[in-house]
Amino acid sequence: MTLPSYKKPPINEVFCGMQFRASDNLRIPHIGCLWNKFRKDYPNIQHVSPIATAKGEISFDNATGVPLPRVWFINESDDQLIQFQVDRFYYNWRRKERDYPRYKHIIEGFENVRDNIEGFFVEFDLGELNPVGYELSYTNHIPQGQGWDKIEDLTNIFSDFIWKKVDGRFLSNPEKVAWRTMFSLPENNGHLIVNLDQGVRAEDKVPLLTLTLKTQGVCESPSKEAAREWFNLSHEWIVRGFTDLITPEIQEIWEKEKHD
């Protein structure tokens, strides 16, 4: 089965992640030991705010009450990173100088990170790495001038976006747009969530549209083979969903590839 593909996709960032049951034995010094497993390829480290659970909760150290951090291990070229906190980890690719390396690179990078974290849990007697959720996310940046100039031009990009400007209408054309929708994955495997928002490109302040397609869910089996099947399904839905949402005209701009 051949999936749609593009020579010049607008992908800006991709991440693959897993949530797991937090270990009561994990302490902040353990994170330094984990970094040592990745330090050769990810020599830079950064603290960032922890990600809250769906209930808005974050993890605290039981002894001190101090919030437990999320850390980034970043490679030399700054285009790949590992995120880790006590209940989840992510493998990220983000656009810098190099083109998107395709899904095979992403999923293999994620699986390598998972294997190392699993070995780390065994080494320090932190219990089993039991998955409770998976996530795959693709973020696309569509700068002004690439198929659109004004908000009412979004019909040129998205097949389902409609704004009718007719004589006598009270409202003028919208200044900003945000859109969110959700689709069920087959066989109760989770959901595909689509978000469209607006922003500004940091380096040159050019207005852009941010289109994110993200899957969230968990497979019934905790096996690595089942996890790979879940991510393959998610990747298919993201790629086919992306193509389903956009117009043939913008597909030409991003050079959709023809397959026999």
Side-chain angles (χ1 to χ4, degrees), residues 75-88:
N75 71 346
E76 200 67 63
S77 56
D78 199 36
D79 63 354
Q80 296 179 62
L81 62 96
I82 298 165
Q83 303 185 53
F84 179 84
Q85 68 180 51
V86 295
D87 64 347
R88 69 191 67 205

Side-chain angles (χ1 to χ4, degrees), residues 114 134 189 218-233:
R114 180 195 58 203
Y134 296 113
N189 271 297
V218 65
C219 49
E220 291 184 2
S221 170
S223 74
K224 295 177 182 179
E225 294 77 15
R228 170 63 84 99
E229 289 179 6
W230 186 92
F231 280 111
N232 288 348
L233 174 69

Side-chain angles (χ1 to χ4, degrees), residues 6-256:
Y6 298 82
K7 292 181 180 179
K8 296 180 179 179
I11 299 172
N12 187 70
E13 183 175 10
V14 181
F15 69 75
C16 210
M18 182 177 110
Q19 297 179 44
F20 52 88
R21 294 183 181 87
S23 170
D24 293 335
N25 298 326
L26 193 143
R27 300 290 181 266
I28 291 176
H30 284 124
I31 295 174
C33 299
L34 177 62
W35 181 34
N36 280 332
K37 290 186 174 293
F38 298 106
R39 191 170 180 177
K40 180 180 177 182
D41 296 321
Y42 299 85
N44 302 314
I45 191 168
Q46 183 178 337
H47 279 140
V48 292
S49 299
I51 298 173
T53 67
K55 296 180 180 180
E57 301 169 342
I58 60 174
S59 297
F60 290 85
D61 180 78
N62 292 331
T64 64
V66 174
L68 293 169
R70 175 166 54 118
V71 294
W72 288 2
F73 307 145
I74 308 168
N75 71 346
E76 200 67 63
S77 56
D78 199 36
D79 63 354
Q80 296 179 62
L81 62 96
I82 298 165
Q83 303 185 53
F84 179 84
Q85 68 180 51
V86 295
D87 64 347
R88 69 191 67 205
F89 71 88
Y90 299 93
Y91 171 76
N92 284 62
W93 172 85
R94 52 190 181 181
R95 183 177 295 279
K96 295 295 181 180
E97 299 298 325
R98 303 174 187 174
D99 291 336
Y100 170 55
R102 304 288 179 166
Y103 169 70
K104 183 176 185 293
H105 176 89
I106 301 298
I107 189 62
E108 289 178 353
F110 163 80
E111 290 173 343
N112 178 67
V113 171
R114 180 195 58 203
D115 290 345
N116 275 279
I117 293 176
E118 192 173 60
F120 160 75
F121 267 54
V122 171
E123 180 180 353
F124 289 93
D125 196 24
L126 299 175
E128 294 185 5
L129 193 66
N130 292 316
V132 296
Y134 296 113
E135 192 169 343
L136 179 63
S137 176
Y138 279 66
T139 297
N140 303 275
H141 282 178
I142 310 169
Q144 189 177 51
Q146 193 174 103
W148 73 283
D149 288 303
K150 305 178 293 297
I151 292 302
E152 53 265 36
D153 296 335
L154 294 194
T155 54
N156 300 335
I157 300 176
F158 302 107
S159 302
D160 301 295
F161 184 87
I162 299 174
W163 176 257
K164 295 181 179 180
K165 180 61 177 175
V166 295
D167 292 340
R169 186 166 186 172
F170 173 74
L171 292 174
S172 61
N173 291 331
E175 182 178 336
K176 289 190 175 182
V177 163
W179 179 50
R180 175 184 169 90
T181 190
M182 181 183 294
F183 305 89
S184 294
L185 298 179
E187 298 180 4
N188 297 316
N189 271 297
H191 294 90
L192 168 66
I193 302 163
V194 180
N195 276 295
L196 175 65
D197 211 338
Q198 291 175 252
V200 176
R201 194 160 58 190
E203 58 266 29
D204 54 13
K205 308 305 179 186
V206 170
L208 55 78
L209 303 171
T210 300
L211 175 67
T212 301
L213 292 93
K214 176 171 64 176
T215 53
Q216 292 178 321
V218 65
C219 49
E220 291 184 2
S221 170
S223 74
K224 295 177 182 179
E225 294 77 15
R228 170 63 84 99
E229 289 179 6
W230 186 92
F231 280 111
N232 288 348
L233 174 69
S234 291
H235 174 246
E236 178 186 354
W237 270 68
I238 287 173
V239 171
R240 291 190 183 279
F242 174 79
T243 298
D244 194 52
L245 290 168
I246 60 176
T247 63
E249 291 75 20
I250 197 69
Q251 291 177 22
E252 288 187 11
I253 291 176
W254 294 331
E255 299 186 16
K256 185 181 179 185

